[in-house]
Amino acid sequence: MARLEKRRRISTAVSIPDDLLISEVLVRLPVKSLARFRSVCRSWRAGIADPAFVRRHRDLSRATARCAPSVLAIPREVDPDDEQATSGDISFHRLLPGGGGNATKAGEMIFEKAWPGGITRLIFPAHCDGLVAVATTTDHVFVCNPATREFAALPPGSHDARLDHCDLLVPPVAVGHDPWRNAYVVARCFYRRYGRMRFEEATGTYAQDYDIGHEVLTLAGGEPRRWEATQDPPHAVDGVHRPICTRRAFYWHGGVARPRLMRFSLHHRTFDVVPRPPTGYDTADDMASLMDGFKLCYVHALAAASFQVWLADDGAKLEWSLLCRIDLADPLLPNLSYAVTPLMMNHGAGHQMLLLAINGSKLCRYDVRNKVLDQVMDTQHELPRADTASFFWERYVVPYAESLVSPTATKAKGGPTARVTNWEAGTCSVVEVVVVDPIRVLEHVMKTLHQLSLHNRLVLAHES
């Protein structure tokens, strides 16, 4: 009887047209499952590789991230005595800190990559649509899709003169999608000349002798690409604040001779200066994009344990509004300083929730309406720790939504394989093919079909 019932389920699955299975069922599965299901048949493999499928899967992943926040953590052992120290590997861990009633889930290592050439222990990651750009203390930048297990070393960019003068500096990079060219791009600022900062008594401001440039690299095609020079930034860009990466532009922060916010248009590839929030400036300030890149967020440190959160729509004219003030002062440790990094914001039950990283290790959820801060995860307990006292752990966290977007757009041949590409060395290695049982795939698909209506109701309830 059980065998007959099983055959009925399989027969029902077989009767579903391939185009419906691909466009409405497979597109809702996680990348790990899709990597296995590509070997079921040629039509599934072609459908999963289709650019329209990749785009729809990416869009659904973005929507899921709004309901169930996901964070990517990159733990690194850091040598405080050598900022150029390297490590022969790098790992990426996915954290599900909860939200909307979801329980917190411990960190799962989704990708680990050995890199014999070494990656500096100090890094600065940025994320967009499943792609993670990893800046280092050198002119080298790496790009990875942890879900598809693709890892690429970009060609070296123009030399940044800051690296010759500054200790413990990781010049940040920006990564985003250019909708006008339908391509993902990585951008970086660099200094051709970097002089010392000096205080001008006549004006009461700081001044600096410098020559700054800006370049972008397009992540498209399997062939090596080159950094392309763009218009130079109109002012100096600091090396402390990460850029804001929205759907229209990259926003870089500068502090010489006064704080400025510079916007690099992805459409026109030009710079302009845009308004900052009406605040002072502190090195503990931080910036991020929220709501799928349609809002800019600026966190200003009023004091060691007090922060303002400002928001602006990513429009032609930025108009900032104060969202909230967060006070973290601990009566038992009144002199403790904090760093607040905004990760995500969602709306639920008529109020706004912010997901924040406090001092890089504690993930907290802040209820804007009720002014309540709850710790949902401590990455010190969820991620591995150093085994030696000579190093300490630095845990880098970025918001994350998995996707099938490739950092190289290289199509594997002969089977569902993942490629690891080193553009600089011009070498590729291919990992093994995983063969799956088609019967088990069809059973999984049928289970997904039954869950599909429930998933849609949850998304609609959340958006309403």
Side-chain angles (χ1 to χ4, degrees):
M1 186 68 181
R3 180 176 296 180
L4 179 60
E5 180 64 24
K6 180 177 180 180
R7 287 184 178 178
R8 286 178 179 172
R9 292 200 308 268
I10 295 172
S11 176
T12 303
V14 173
S15 66
I16 301 175
D18 261 3
D19 57 347
L20 179 61
L21 278 173
I22 293 171
S23 63
E24 295 300 332
V25 179
L26 297 186
V27 76
R28 302 176 188 276
L29 298 181
V31 173
K32 186 176 182 179
S33 297
L34 294 175
R36 299 172 60 241
F37 291 174
R38 288 188 299 176
S39 62
V40 171
C41 60
R42 291 183 178 179
S43 62
W44 283 24
R45 176 173 175 78
I48 294 172
D50 187 89
F53 183 95
V54 174
R55 288 193 298 270
R56 177 157 167 75
H57 184 274
R58 175 201 64 189
D59 294 342
L60 290 172
S61 183
R62 290 176 183 170
T64 300
R66 290 197 297 267
C67 306
S70 176
V71 174
L72 195 71
I74 310 174
R76 303 290 287 167
E77 288 180 304
V78 177
D79 185 348
D81 299 322
D82 184 6
E83 69 271 14
Q84 297 297 326
T86 62
S87 171
D89 55 49
I90 187 170
S91 62
F92 301 84
H93 303 250
R94 188 175 187 178
L95 308 174
L96 300 177
N102 295 330
T104 298
K105 183 177 179 180
E108 171 195 5
M109 187 174 70
I110 57 176
F111 181 47
E112 183 176 25
K113 174 60 186 171
W115 197 259
I119 302 171
T120 59
R121 297 180 182 274
L122 286 174
I123 62 172
F124 208 140
H127 168 267
C128 177
D129 292 340
L131 295 179
V132 182
V134 180
T136 67
T137 59
T138 69
D139 295 315
H140 291 270
V141 179
F142 299 88
V143 179
C144 173
N145 184 328
T148 61
R149 305 177 64 82
E150 293 175 279
F151 192 88
L154 302 185
S158 301
H159 178 60
D160 192 339
R162 286 178 296 182
L163 300 174
D164 303 328
H165 302 278
C166 303
D167 296 330
L168 302 176
L169 174 68
V170 183
V173 298
V175 59
H177 181 254
D178 181 348
W180 293 274
R181 296 166 180 83
N182 191 28
Y184 287 87
V185 296
V186 178
R188 64 188 293 267
C189 292
F190 63 93
Y191 282 80
R192 305 179 187 94
R193 184 177 67 258
Y194 189 77
R196 292 184 177 276
M197 196 88 64
R198 64 183 184 277
F199 182 75
E200 299 284 353
E201 294 185 0
T203 60
T205 61
Y206 286 93
Q208 183 182 24
D209 179 32
Y210 65 88
D211 183 11
I212 189 172
H214 183 268
E215 56 191 6
V216 299
L217 185 145
T218 301
L219 301 174
E223 297 299 322
R225 297 303 187 199
R226 293 291 178 263
W227 293 94
E228 301 175 6
T230 69
Q231 181 186 45
D232 291 344
H235 302 283
V237 172
D238 65 39
V240 178
H241 299 96
R242 56 179 175 167
I244 304 177
C245 306
T246 71
R247 300 298 175 192
R248 302 179 57 202
F250 297 149
Y251 293 81
W252 299 89
H253 194 277
V256 180
R258 57 185 176 82
R260 292 184 177 91
L261 193 60
M262 291 163 284
R263 174 171 57 194
F264 176 74
S265 167
L266 290 173
H267 185 192
H268 303 291
R269 300 290 174 97
T270 56
F271 277 94
D272 66 330
V273 179
V274 295
R276 291 179 69 258
T279 67
Y281 170 76
D282 193 279
T283 55
D285 291 358
D286 205 348
M287 307 189 299
S289 63
L290 302 175
M291 302 299 292
D292 285 341
F294 291 103
K295 281 192 178 292
L296 288 75
C297 177
Y298 190 98
V299 176
H300 172 58
L302 286 171
S306 182
F307 299 84
Q308 289 179 334
V309 179
W310 293 81
L311 296 180
D313 292 329
D314 184 27
K317 182 179 179 181
L318 298 189
E319 297 182 356
W320 294 92
S321 60
L322 180 63
L323 176 67
C324 62
R325 173 171 172 166
I326 303 175
D327 293 308
L328 303 173
D330 187 339
L332 300 179
L333 299 169
N335 297 322
L336 185 64
S337 296
Y338 295 86
V340 174
T341 301
L343 297 175
M344 296 180 181
M345 182 177 73
N346 57 24
H347 298 263
H351 61 282
Q352 297 169 311
M353 301 289 287
L354 282 170
L355 182 64
L356 309 168
I358 308 296
N359 291 342
S361 61
K362 292 180 173 58
L363 299 183
C364 299
R365 189 166 52 239
Y366 184 75
D367 187 326
V368 175
R369 182 180 64 184
N370 298 318
K371 300 181 180 180
V372 175
L373 183 73
D374 295 319
Q375 180 176 313
V376 296
M377 181 177 291
D378 189 343
T379 60
Q380 293 184 4
H381 301 147
E382 305 295 346
L383 299 176
R385 297 185 179 185
D387 297 326
T388 172
S390 61
F391 293 159
F392 66 90
W393 274 116
E394 184 74 38
R395 296 165 180 84
Y396 302 91
V397 293
V398 292
Y400 180 67
E402 71 168 20
S403 77
L404 293 164
V405 177
S406 171
T408 61
T410 302
K411 295 183 180 179
K413 299 179 180 179
T417 59
R419 286 184 175 266
V420 181
T421 306
N422 182 342
W423 278 342
E424 184 179 3
T427 60
C428 293
S429 60
V430 181
V431 301
E432 63 179 295
V433 176
V434 179
V435 180
V436 298
D437 180 359
I439 301 299
R440 295 180 61 185
V441 172
L442 293 175
E443 290 179 337
H444 187 90
V445 168
M446 290 305 301
K447 182 179 179 181
T448 304
L449 279 172
H450 288 299
Q451 295 175 343
L452 186 56
S453 59
L454 176 61
H455 173 273
N456 289 336
R457 287 200 298 270
L458 288 174
V459 172
L460 289 174
H462 173 76
E463 291 180 348
S464 62

